[in-house]
């Protein structure tokens, strides 16, 4: 952050506004209190009577008639004026002190209350910018290939077919991406319904969603999950396991094997999706659940893997909603094991 940016950060308009609002409240209270204190302390008082007045304390029917002489009265009045003046000066100083401390407190309070809002806004901006970036790539490819084709004087039918097939592929990618983006936003508000379900059913539903891509790569999936009753949201857990299986297939080489297994403790079930694929570097592991994060792009690209870095972010979000935790152990070139810790 350069100097100007730092200044803008500290003096951004919402912070200044909120600081002023807090300060106005503090100063209104302080000044009101000071005025009341001044008024009550300097209310005109009846002058004290002469010596021996104790025996002549004013009562309803017996008012003292003898008071101080004029000189004494002047001295007393002067003394009172002086005390009034001193009180005024003291209150002004106190209010200046309150103003000074108030500015600091108001600023700290303003920053404290605005920080979560700013963080949420920054994350939204980041999300929109990442999403736009991901959308731009297939759109640019579409635009370029179509422009090149349209400039050709003659376009043989075979080439046109190829172009259309390529366009359809790119549109599919775009559709896939927009569906994932919507999924990521929608899942925030998606109601979850905990019911008693059989884990085996969930696993076979999830497996059916990846069977095609697994067959295309000649990858076999070994399912050793026993019959286990759990209380969870059926569709969320199916989606989580589908994402883990989909990744396992994507990041495995042709002909490899994936295993899905489960074990249980008193209050938890651990569901493991293990592959012998390309694995994840230790430096990438803390980031793979972040939106749009793709570990080691060069290796993924080399194995021709498509993706947007959204799958695990969606899985993580769904997992949180159903009290499930996803952990991962991985070694490069040896494979990865993703584990879903499900509360029973
Ligand atoms: P993507 O669409 O890129 O697969 P994900 O959010 O599902 O997005 O995964 C994020 C990154 O984590 C992937 O880009 C990949 O680098 C890594 N990853 C996830 N699962 C595996 C796995 N089973 N094997 C190796 N790498 C994986």
């Amino acid at each position: 952050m350069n100097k100007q940016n730092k200044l803008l950060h500290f003096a951004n308009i919402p912070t200044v506004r909120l600081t002023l609002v807090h300060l106005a409240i503090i100063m209104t209270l302080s000044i009101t209190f000071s005025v009341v204190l001044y008024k009550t302390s300097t209310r005109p008082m009846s002058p004290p009577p002469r010596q021996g007045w104790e025996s002549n304390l004013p009562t309803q029917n017996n008012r003292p008639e003898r008071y101080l002489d004029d000189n004494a009265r002047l001295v007393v009045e002067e003394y009172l004026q002086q005390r009034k003046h001193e009180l005024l000066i003291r209150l002004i100083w106190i209010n200046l002190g309150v103003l000074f401390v108030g500015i600091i407190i108001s600023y700290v309070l303003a920053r404290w209350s605005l920080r979560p809002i700013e963080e949420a806004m920054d994350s939204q901006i980041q999300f929109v910018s990442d999403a736009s970036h991901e959308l731009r790539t297939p759109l640019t490819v579409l635009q370029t290939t179509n422009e090149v084709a349209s400039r050709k004087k003659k376009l043989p039918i075979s080439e046109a077919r190829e172009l259309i097939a390529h366009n359809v592929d790119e549109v599919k990618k775009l559709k896939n991406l927009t569906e994932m983006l919507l999924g990521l936003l929608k899942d925030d508000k998606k109601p979850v319904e905990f019911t008693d379900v059989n884990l085996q059913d969930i696993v076979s539903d999830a497996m059916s969603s990846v069977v095609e891509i697994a067959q295309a790569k000649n990858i076999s999936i070994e399912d050793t999950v026993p019959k286990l009753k759990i209380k969870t949201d059926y569709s969320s857990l199916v989606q989580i396991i589908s994402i883990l299986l989909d990744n396992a297939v994507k990041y495995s080489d042709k002909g490899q094997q994936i295993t899905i297994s489960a074990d249980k403790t008193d209050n938890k079930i651990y569901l493991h999706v293990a592959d012998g694929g390309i694995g994840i570097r230790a430096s990438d592991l803390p980031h793979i659940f972040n939106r749009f994060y793709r570990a080691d792009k060069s290796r993924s690209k080399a194995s021709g893997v498509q993706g947007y870095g959204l799958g695990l972010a969606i899985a993580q979000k769904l997992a949180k909603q159903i009290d499930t935790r996803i952990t991962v152990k991985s070694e490069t070139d040896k494979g990865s094991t993703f584990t879903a810790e499900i509360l029973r």
Side-chain angles (χ1 to χ4, degrees), residues 202-239:
I202 293 183
V203 170
S204 30
D205 261 9
M207 275 171 59
S208 60
S209 67
V210 294
V211 102
E212 243 178 74
I213 53 162
Q215 271 169 2
K217 282 179 89 174
N218 195 22
I219 287 173
S220 59
I221 304 176
E222 194 192 352
D223 172 12
T224 65
V225 176
K227 258 194 184 165
L228 283 170
K229 273 250 156 73
I230 53 168
K231 210 177 181 73
T232 190
D233 180 68
Y234 191 93
S235 65
S236 299
L237 194 55
V238 168
Q239 208 179 334

Side-chain angles (χ1 to χ4, degrees), residues 247 250-251 275 280 288 293-295 307-312 336:
N247 279 347
K250 276 197 311 191
Y251 299 105
D275 65 63
I280 307 161
I288 56 169
Y293 189 84
R294 300 206 70 207
Y308 302 101
L310 290 174
L312 288 180
S336 315

Side-chain angles (χ1 to χ4, degrees), residues 180 243-244 246-252 273 275 277-280 284 287-290 292-297 299-300 305-314 330 335-338:
M180 287 191 114
I243 291 170
L244 299 182
D246 182 55
N247 279 347
V249 174
K250 276 197 311 191
Y251 299 105
S252 290
V273 177
D275 65 63
I278 62 171
I280 307 161
D284 286 318
H287 311 289
I288 56 169
F289 291 95
N290 295 350
F292 298 105
Y293 189 84
R294 300 206 70 207
D296 201 356
K297 290 191 181 81
R299 288 194 322 136
S300 305
V305 176
Q306 288 290 343
Y308 302 101
L310 290 174
L312 288 180
I314 295 174
S330 188
S336 315
T337 301
F338 282 80

